């Protein structure tokens, strides 16, 4: 009878250790969250008040606002889920400062007519930086 009691006690001890271990989760790694291609055209170069934008991040942000909020889409524009959120669009400038864009790419965006690829990196749903490449 005591053997059965110890056996039951031992099995309870093992199951409680397994339960405790299953609560330990690994933090998600940083990686690619989303990417898209966008065509930067005339209407992307101006904000909603008609002021000419002169920074690449502001132009890319306006492109995404045009795409998601105003429904103004260029033929080569692709959708994305990340910048569908207005708060994420607001963070774009900081994300580009933390990311990568070449001087030539920045000038092409400011001049308009560029076709760009934007890759969004971060952890889980939080974007930390973007990498922008001009494709044309």
């Amino acid at each position: 009878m005591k053997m059965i009691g110890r056996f039951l006690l031992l099995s309870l001890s093992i199951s409680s250790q397994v339960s405790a271990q299953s609560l330990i989760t690994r933090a998600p790694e940083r990686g690619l969250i989303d990417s898209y291609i966008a065509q930067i055209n005339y209407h992307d170069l101006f904000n909603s008040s008609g002021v000419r934008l002169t920074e690449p991040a502001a132009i890319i942000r306006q492109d995404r606002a045009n795409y998601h909020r105003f429904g103004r889409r260029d033929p080569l524009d692709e959708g994305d889920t990340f910048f569908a959120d207005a708060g994420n669009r607001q963070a774009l400038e900081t994300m580009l400062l933390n990311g990568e864009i070449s001087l030539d790419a920045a000038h092409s965006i400011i001049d308009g007519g560029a076709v760009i690829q934007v890759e969004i990196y971060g952890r889980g749903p939080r974007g930390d930086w973007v990498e922008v490449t001009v494709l044309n």
Side-chain angles (χ1 to χ4, degrees):
M1 188 118 173
K2 288 186 179 185
M3 284 295 260
I4 295 173
R6 286 185 191 164
F7 177 75
L8 290 175
L9 181 59
L10 179 61
S11 67
L12 286 175
S13 175
I14 290 171
S15 69
S16 66
Q17 287 176 352
V18 171
S19 295
Q21 289 176 349
S22 66
L23 296 177
I24 299 170
T25 57
R26 191 172 152 193
E29 297 296 322
R30 288 183 175 170
L32 183 66
I33 295 174
D34 204 348
S35 72
Y36 65 91
I37 292 175
Q39 185 175 0
I40 304 299
N41 276 327
Y42 183 79
H43 59 267
D44 299 320
L45 302 177
F46 296 87
N47 69 14
S48 301
S49 300
V51 175
R52 175 66 160 91
L53 302 170
T54 59
E55 296 294 324
I59 293 168
I60 296 168
R61 178 180 175 183
Q62 186 63 47
D63 169 78
R64 291 294 88 186
N66 286 339
Y67 186 91
H68 290 291
R69 184 172 178 203
F70 302 115
R72 285 182 257 168
R73 298 174 178 171
D74 297 309
L76 299 178
D77 282 353
E78 293 179 349
D80 69 283
T81 56
F82 187 79
F83 289 124
D85 179 87
N88 289 343
R89 289 195 302 271
Q90 186 174 3
L92 183 74
E93 284 88 348
T94 302
M95 292 173 66
L96 188 55
L97 286 174
N98 294 332
E100 290 184 23
I101 185 170
S102 71
L103 190 57
D104 288 341
H107 286 298
S108 293
I109 292 167
I110 292 168
D111 292 343
V115 176
I116 62 173
Q117 178 175 6
V118 178
E119 295 178 321
I120 305 154
Y121 292 89
R123 182 175 291 156
R126 190 183 109 226
D128 293 322
W129 76 91
V130 295
E131 294 181 6
V132 179
T133 307
V134 172
L135 301 177
N136 62 343

PDB file of all heavy atoms in Angstrom, residues 45-61:
ATOM      1  N   LEU A  45       3.947  62.567 -52.973  1.00  0.00           N
ATOM      2  CA  LEU A  45       4.941  63.591 -52.633  1.00  0.00           C
ATOM      3  C   LEU A  45       4.358  64.748 -51.832  1.00  0.00           C
ATOM      4  O   LEU A  45       5.101  65.642 -51.419  1.00  0.00           O
ATOM      5  CB  LEU A  45       5.604  64.135 -53.912  1.00  0.00           C
ATOM      6  CG  LEU A  45       6.307  63.097 -54.787  1.00  0.00           C
ATOM      7  CD1 LEU A  45       6.843  63.758 -56.055  1.00  0.00           C
ATOM      8  CD2 LEU A  45       7.415  62.392 -54.024  1.00  0.00           C
ATOM      9  N   PHE A  46       3.052  64.742 -51.602  1.00  0.00           N
ATOM     10  CA  PHE A  46       2.385  65.825 -50.881  1.00  0.00           C
ATOM     11  C   PHE A  46       1.551  65.256 -49.746  1.00  0.00           C
ATOM     12  O   PHE A  46       0.884  64.227 -49.898  1.00  0.00           O
ATOM     13  CB  PHE A  46       1.469  66.617 -51.840  1.00  0.00           C
ATOM     14  CG  PHE A  46       2.227  67.317 -52.923  1.00  0.00           C
ATOM     15  CD1 PHE A  46       2.541  66.671 -54.109  1.00  0.00           C
ATOM     16  CD2 PHE A  46       2.653  68.626 -52.751  1.00  0.00           C
ATOM     17  CE1 PHE A  46       3.254  67.303 -55.111  1.00  0.00           C
ATOM     18  CE2 PHE A  46       3.368  69.276 -53.747  1.00  0.00           C
ATOM     19  CZ  PHE A  46       3.674  68.608 -54.932  1.00  0.00           C
ATOM     20  N   ASN A  47       1.565  65.954 -48.610  1.00  0.00           N
ATOM     21  CA  ASN A  47       0.750  65.497 -47.490  1.00  0.00           C
ATOM     22  C   ASN A  47      -0.712  65.878 -47.714  1.00  0.00           C
ATOM     23  O   ASN A  47      -1.052  66.507 -48.728  1.00  0.00           O
ATOM     24  CB  ASN A  47       1.299  65.988 -46.142  1.00  0.00           C
ATOM     25  CG  ASN A  47       1.151  67.485 -45.940  1.00  0.00           C
ATOM     26  OD1 ASN A  47       0.425  68.176 -46.657  1.00  0.00           O
ATOM     27  ND2 ASN A  47       1.852  68.004 -44.943  1.00  0.00           N
ATOM     28  N   SER A  48      -1.555  65.554 -46.783  1.00  0.00           N
ATOM     29  CA  SER A  48      -2.994  65.793 -46.917  1.00  0.00           C
ATOM     30  C   SER A  48      -3.348  67.267 -46.979  1.00  0.00           C
ATOM     31  O   SER A  48      -4.414  67.634 -47.482  1.00  0.00           O
ATOM     32  CB  SER A  48      -3.741  65.139 -45.749  1.00  0.00           C
ATOM     33  OG  SER A  48      -3.480  63.758 -45.737  1.00  0.00           O
ATOM     34  N   SER A  49      -2.436  68.132 -46.517  1.00  0.00           N
ATOM     35  CA  SER A  49      -2.662  69.579 -46.576  1.00  0.00           C
ATOM     36  C   SER A  49      -2.083  70.198 -47.840  1.00  0.00           C
ATOM     37  O   SER A  49      -2.131  71.417 -48.019  1.00  0.00           O
ATOM     38  CB  SER A  49      -2.024  70.263 -45.356  1.00  0.00           C
ATOM     39  OG  SER A  49      -2.578  69.760 -44.168  1.00  0.00           O
ATOM     40  N   GLY A  50      -1.497  69.382 -48.700  1.00  0.00           N
ATOM     41  CA  GLY A  50      -0.929  69.885 -49.954  1.00  0.00           C
ATOM     42  C   GLY A  50       0.509  70.362 -49.857  1.00  0.00           C
ATOM     43  O   GLY A  50       1.043  70.908 -50.811  1.00  0.00           O
ATOM     44  N   VAL A  51       1.150  70.150 -48.725  1.00  0.00           N
ATOM     45  CA  VAL A  51       2.542  70.566 -48.532  1.00  0.00           C
ATOM     46  C   VAL A  51       3.471  69.511 -49.133  1.00  0.00           C
ATOM     47  O   VAL A  51       3.304  68.311 -48.884  1.00  0.00           O
ATOM     48  CB  VAL A  51       2.851  70.770 -47.026  1.00  0.00           C
ATOM     49  CG1 VAL A  51       4.325  71.092 -46.803  1.00  0.00           C
ATOM     50  CG2 VAL A  51       1.957  71.845 -46.442  1.00  0.00           C
ATOM     51  N   ARG A  52       4.467  69.983 -49.915  1.00  0.00           N
ATOM     52  CA  ARG A  52       5.429  69.082 -50.558  1.00  0.00           C
ATOM     53  C   ARG A  52       6.313  68.440 -49.499  1.00  0.00           C
ATOM     54  O   ARG A  52       6.898  69.111 -48.647  1.00  0.00           O
ATOM     55  CB  ARG A  52       6.288  69.871 -51.563  1.00  0.00           C
ATOM     56  CG  ARG A  52       7.419  69.094 -52.226  1.00  0.00           C
ATOM     57  CD  ARG A  52       6.886  67.992 -53.140  1.00  0.00           C
ATOM     58  NE  ARG A  52       7.851  67.539 -54.114  1.00  0.00           N
ATOM     59  CZ  ARG A  52       8.714  66.532 -53.954  1.00  0.00           C
ATOM     60  NH1 ARG A  52       8.760  65.887 -52.795  1.00  0.00           N
ATOM     61  NH2 ARG A  52       9.531  66.180 -54.922  1.00  0.00           N
ATOM     62  N   LEU A  53       6.400  67.123 -49.525  1.00  0.00           N
ATOM     63  CA  LEU A  53       7.228  66.373 -48.580  1.00  0.00           C
ATOM     64  C   LEU A  53       8.650  66.278 -49.122  1.00  0.00           C
ATOM     65  O   LEU A  53       8.848  66.094 -50.329  1.00  0.00           O
ATOM     66  CB  LEU A  53       6.641  64.984 -48.356  1.00  0.00           C
ATOM     67  CG  LEU A  53       5.200  64.965 -47.821  1.00  0.00           C
ATOM     68  CD1 LEU A  53       4.626  63.566 -47.858  1.00  0.00           C
ATOM     69  CD2 LEU A  53       5.146  65.552 -46.423  1.00  0.00           C
ATOM     70  N   THR A  54       9.636  66.384 -48.238  1.00  0.00           N
ATOM     71  CA  THR A  54      11.038  66.417 -48.675  1.00  0.00           C
ATOM     72  C   THR A  54      11.900  65.348 -48.009  1.00  0.00           C
ATOM     73  O   THR A  54      13.107  65.332 -48.216  1.00  0.00           O
ATOM     74  CB  THR A  54      11.653  67.800 -48.402  1.00  0.00           C
ATOM     75  OG1 THR A  54      11.560  68.084 -47.000  1.00  0.00           O
ATOM     76  CG2 THR A  54      10.942  68.889 -49.200  1.00  0.00           C
ATOM     77  N   GLU A  55      11.306  64.483 -47.210  1.00  0.00           N
ATOM     78  CA  GLU A  55      12.036  63.410 -46.546  1.00  0.00           C
ATOM     79  C   GLU A  55      11.510  62.061 -47.038  1.00  0.00           C
ATOM     80  O   GLU A  55      10.289  61.872 -47.132  1.00  0.00           O
ATOM     81  CB  GLU A  55      11.878  63.490 -45.027  1.00  0.00           C
ATOM     82  CG  GLU A  55      12.479  64.733 -44.406  1.00  0.00           C
ATOM     83  CD  GLU A  55      13.983  64.783 -44.543  1.00  0.00           C
ATOM     84  OE1 GLU A  55      14.629  63.713 -44.472  1.00  0.00           O
ATOM     85  OE2 GLU A  55      14.523  65.888 -44.739  1.00  0.00           O
ATOM     86  N   PRO A  56      12.405  61.120 -47.329  1.00  0.00           N
ATOM     87  CA  PRO A  56      11.960  59.814 -47.816  1.00  0.00           C
ATOM     88  C   PRO A  56      10.944  59.126 -46.895  1.00  0.00           C
ATOM     89  O   PRO A  56       9.951  58.575 -47.380  1.00  0.00           O
ATOM     90  CB  PRO A  56      13.254  58.996 -47.902  1.00  0.00           C
ATOM     91  CG  PRO A  56      14.335  59.996 -47.990  1.00  0.00           C
ATOM     92  CD  PRO A  56      13.861  61.205 -47.248  1.00  0.00           C
ATOM     93  N   ALA A  57      11.177  59.158 -45.602  1.00  0.00           N
ATOM     94  CA  ALA A  57      10.261  58.486 -44.668  1.00  0.00           C
ATOM     95  C   ALA A  57       8.866  59.107 -44.718  1.00  0.00           C
ATOM     96  O   ALA A  57       7.864  58.391 -44.674  1.00  0.00           O
ATOM     97  CB  ALA A  57      10.820  58.516 -43.251  1.00  0.00           C
ATOM     98  N   ALA A  58       8.801  60.430 -44.817  1.00  0.00           N
ATOM     99  CA  ALA A  58       7.499  61.107 -44.891  1.00  0.00           C
ATOM    100  C   ALA A  58       6.771  60.735 -46.182  1.00  0.00           C
ATOM    101  O   ALA A  58       5.548  60.551 -46.187  1.00  0.00           O
ATOM    102  CB  ALA A  58       7.686  62.612 -44.798  1.00  0.00           C
ATOM    103  N   ILE A  59       7.510  60.595 -47.275  1.00  0.00           N
ATOM    104  CA  ILE A  59       6.908  60.223 -48.561  1.00  0.00           C
ATOM    105  C   ILE A  59       6.413  58.774 -48.511  1.00  0.00           C
ATOM    106  O   ILE A  59       5.303  58.474 -48.967  1.00  0.00           O
ATOM    107  CB  ILE A  59       7.917  60.454 -49.703  1.00  0.00           C
ATOM    108  CG1 ILE A  59       8.184  61.963 -49.845  1.00  0.00           C
ATOM    109  CG2 ILE A  59       7.405  59.858 -51.017  1.00  0.00           C
ATOM    110  CD1 ILE A  59       9.360  62.315 -50.732  1.00  0.00           C
ATOM    111  N   ILE A  60       7.206  57.899 -47.957  1.00  0.00           N
ATOM    112  CA  ILE A  60       6.782  56.491 -47.830  1.00  0.00           C
ATOM    113  C   ILE A  60       5.562  56.392 -46.918  1.00  0.00           C
ATOM    114  O   ILE A  60       4.617  55.654 -47.196  1.00  0.00           O
ATOM    115  CB  ILE A  60       7.939  55.617 -47.305  1.00  0.00           C
ATOM    116  CG1 ILE A  60       9.084  55.599 -48.325  1.00  0.00           C
ATOM    117  CG2 ILE A  60       7.460  54.202 -46.999  1.00  0.00           C
ATOM    118  CD1 ILE A  60      10.372  55.008 -47.786  1.00  0.00           C
ATOM    119  N   ARG A  61       5.570  57.166 -45.856  1.00  0.00           N
ATOM    120  CA  ARG A  61       4.416  57.185 -44.947  1.00  0.00           C
ATOM    121  C   ARG A  61       3.165  57.669 -45.675  1.00  0.00           C
ATOM    122  O   ARG A  61       2.082  57.098 -45.527  1.00  0.00           O
ATOM    123  CB  ARG A  61       4.729  58.078 -43.750  1.00  0.00           C
ATOM    124  CG  ARG A  61       3.595  58.204 -42.771  1.00  0.00           C
ATOM    125  CD  ARG A  61       3.973  59.107 -41.620  1.00  0.00           C
ATOM    126  NE  ARG A  61       2.860  59.318 -40.733  1.00  0.00           N
ATOM    127  CZ  ARG A  61       2.900  60.113 -39.686  1.00  0.00           C
ATOM    128  NH1 ARG A  61       4.020  60.754 -39.380  1.00  0.00           N
ATOM    129  NH2 ARG A  61       1.853  60.268 -38.925  1.00  0.00           N
TER     130      ARG A  61
END
